[in-house]
Amino acid sequence: MGTGILANLSFTHAGLIPSVPILVIGWVILLWLSIGFAARCLRDPEVLRRSVADPGQLPAWGMVSMGILSVGSATSAVVPALAPGLTRAAWTVDWVMWILGTVIGLFSWVAFTLMLTAKDCGRPHFTWGLPIVPPMVSATTGAALMSHTPNELTRMLVNVICAGCFFAALSLGISIFGIAYHHRWLRDPLGHDAAATTFIPLGVIGQSTAAAQALVTATRNFLHPDAVQRCTRSHTPTASSCWRSARRCWCGP
């Protein structure tokens, strides 16, 4: 995930020279780890089962999701500037990786939530937030995809999914990190070897800020004021007339 974010930021602030090699490194790491894990699963199918059944390993799927999402987002940002002829291919790759990353992220979010309620996962820890943050990353990266949807219906669907991911990650993230901070501050202080994990909550804070701004910008066309004005001008506004007015604003005549 770090290389994907760094590639995006490097492209935004410094152009292609630093961002291209960073993006290549991100792709190499992603493919290398993916192929390596797939090979392990083929040799020993229990590896995959343990990775989703063990409370200590399941949070790692959140990092997998965020890595896929960030590299896909960086690809659609850097590649079109490097090779304009590959713009369509770059956005297609971003779409595929967004769908894959979102599915994995929502799986980790749901699976870990159910695991917390069904079994004893030990003492609260900040790493519990790793499977909670990915839906927020999906909301941020999905907002950028809305301008590259084939039609208004798809754009609205992506908007709804991103909004759902935003509130899912934010609501559960506040609860998880609140419990973790309470436990570590008042009951069981965190050791120096795990002190760096206290920065994991910043993932939700930073991503929620970015996601909120990206979603508001992307959904501006859906919340056009003309939809409301046409309803208020009517003498007897009804639900059906409001819907027709809003539909004309969103989708055209």
Side-chain angles (χ1 to χ4, degrees), residues 1-81:
M1 180 182 180
T3 53
I5 295 175
L6 185 58
N8 252 321
L9 292 175
S10 298
F11 175 73
T12 301
H13 298 286
L16 289 172
I17 294 178
S19 60
V20 171
I22 295 173
L23 178 60
V24 171
I25 292 173
W27 269 106
V28 170
I29 295 174
L30 179 62
L31 293 174
W32 177 42
L33 293 176
S34 300
I35 294 173
F37 182 74
R40 285 188 60 201
C41 292
L42 290 176
R43 290 195 303 267
D44 182 9
E46 283 296 309
V47 171
L48 180 60
R49 188 195 66 80
R50 288 194 299 268
S51 70
V52 298
D54 184 359
Q57 297 186 42
L58 180 58
W61 282 103
M63 293 187 287
V64 174
S65 170
M66 291 185 284
I68 293 173
L69 291 168
S70 64
V71 172
S73 178
T75 300
S76 63
V78 176
V79 172

Side-chain angles (χ1 to χ4, degrees), residues 115-146:
M115 186 176 290
L116 287 176
T117 59
K119 63 170 62 175
D120 182 11
C121 296
R123 295 174 298 177
H125 204 281
F126 293 107
T127 54
W128 284 8
L130 291 175
I132 308 304
V133 180
M136 190 66 77
V137 181
S138 292
T140 306
T141 54
L145 291 171
M146 289 187 200

Side-chain angles (χ1 to χ4, degrees), residues 155-195:
R155 184 178 301 179
M156 179 64 75
L157 178 61
V158 174
N159 182 32
V160 172
I161 294 174
C162 290
C165 288
F166 176 88
F167 288 107
L170 185 63
S171 58
L172 191 58
I174 292 174
S175 302
I176 292 293
F177 291 128
I179 293 172
Y181 273 118
H182 176 270
H183 183 82
R184 292 301 179 178
W185 279 348
L186 301 180
R187 297 186 179 182
D188 184 18
L190 197 65
H192 295 293
D193 56 336

